[in-house]
Amino acid sequence: MGARINFVFDDGTESLVVLYSHWGEDTWEDDLTGALVHAQPRKGDYSYFTRMVISHLMKDQMLDETGFGIYAINRSEIANNFDKTVVLDLVNNLLTDLDNGNSVELYGKVFA
C-alpha cells in the first residue's frame, strides 16, 4: 500500500524537481528536519541544497531499486492529487503542506 509523499523543490524556475518517497509520509517532518540541517551549509545554492536534501532523505536506501523516484514537473503541475505533497520554496523560504495549505518558514522552523 505505501505511505507516499512528494517533496517538491521550488527554486523559482519553471521546472521543479520532485522527490517521490513510497514510504516517507509517516516520518516526513523528522526526516526533512534532519535533511535541512544536513543541507544548511548550502542554503542559497539551490542545486547543491536540493541534492543534499534528497541524498539525506534517501541515505538508507540509496542503492535500492524501489522506494524513491526523482522527476521534474512544470510549475503548473504542482497539485495534490492523492499523495501527500509538500513544497519547499527555496526562494521565499517557505515549506507548504498542500494537504492543508499551511506554510511555515523553511529555515526558521528548523534552525531557530
Side-chain angles (χ1 to χ4, degrees), residues 81-92:
N81 297 322
F82 301 106
D83 300 336
K84 179 160 194 73
T85 301
V86 294
V87 178
L88 291 84
D89 182 339
L90 306 179
V91 176
N92 296 303

Side-chain angles (χ1 to χ4, degrees), residues 14-95:
E14 191 58 33
S15 296
L16 309 177
V17 173
V18 180
L19 173 68
Y20 163 80
S21 171
H22 190 78
W23 299 107
E25 182 183 4
D26 297 334
T27 59
W28 78 268
E29 291 176 279
D30 288 339
D31 295 342
L32 185 58
T33 296
L36 293 173
V37 169
H38 171 72
Q40 205 260 349
R42 285 298 192 153
K43 180 173 117 176
D45 185 346
Y46 304 143
S47 62
Y48 272 85
F49 182 86
T50 299
R51 194 266 313 155
M52 290 178 73
V53 170
I54 289 172
S55 294
H56 193 276
L57 290 170
M58 294 180 61
K59 70 181 187 285
D60 295 329
Q61 296 91 31
M62 188 66 73
L63 300 178
D64 292 355
E65 182 181 349
T66 61
F68 291 94
I70 300 173
Y71 59 97
I73 61 172
N74 289 324
R75 179 168 302 285
S76 62
E77 296 176 271
I78 297 176
N80 189 19
N81 297 322
F82 301 106
D83 300 336
K84 179 160 194 73
T85 301
V86 294
V87 178
L88 291 84
D89 182 339
L90 306 179
V91 176
N92 296 303
N93 189 32
L94 292 174
L95 173 66

